[in-house]
């Protein structure tokens, strides 16, 4: 059985933590930042974890079980 290729867009966007969770970045932090408050931009700067319902789909894109 051939190996499944990792989705190249997903490997740039997601990372695994040591405990097996998947890290992601927040949206809305790349452009049009002048109208956003400092608090909003600061909160978007941190990493978040992928929701449980989406974990299976992201792991499939990354070639994980």
């Amino acid at each position: 059985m051939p190996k499944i290729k990792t989705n190249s867009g997903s490997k740039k966007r997601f990372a695994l933590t040591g405990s097996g969770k998947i890290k992601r970045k927040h949206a809305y932090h790349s452009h049009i930042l002048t109208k956003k408050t400092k608090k909003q931009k600061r909160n978007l700067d941190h990493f978040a974890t992928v929701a449980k319902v989406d974990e299976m789909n992201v792991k499939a894109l990354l070639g994980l079980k």
Side-chain angles (χ1 to χ4, degrees):
M1 189 110 163
K3 293 182 179 179
I4 297 172
K5 287 188 177 182
T6 301
N7 182 282
S8 58
S10 296
K11 67 184 174 188
K12 296 168 192 169
R13 287 173 170 83
F14 300 107
L16 277 175
T17 62
S19 61
K21 294 178 184 177
I22 303 170
K23 290 193 302 186
R24 66 170 178 84
K25 285 191 173 182
H26 286 279
Y28 307 109
H29 192 59
S30 57
H31 59 85
I32 314 176
L33 299 174
T34 53
K35 61 178 76 170
K36 294 172 184 146
T37 63
K38 287 180 182 180
K39 182 178 180 181
Q40 185 180 6
K41 289 185 278 191
R42 184 172 62 244
N43 289 335
L44 290 173
D45 204 26
H46 306 297
F47 280 94
T49 54
V50 172
K52 270 286 198 207
V53 293
D54 298 324
E55 260 186 34
M56 200 167 74
N57 292 331
V58 174
K59 284 186 177 183
L61 290 170
L62 293 173
L64 306 170
K65 289 186 179 180

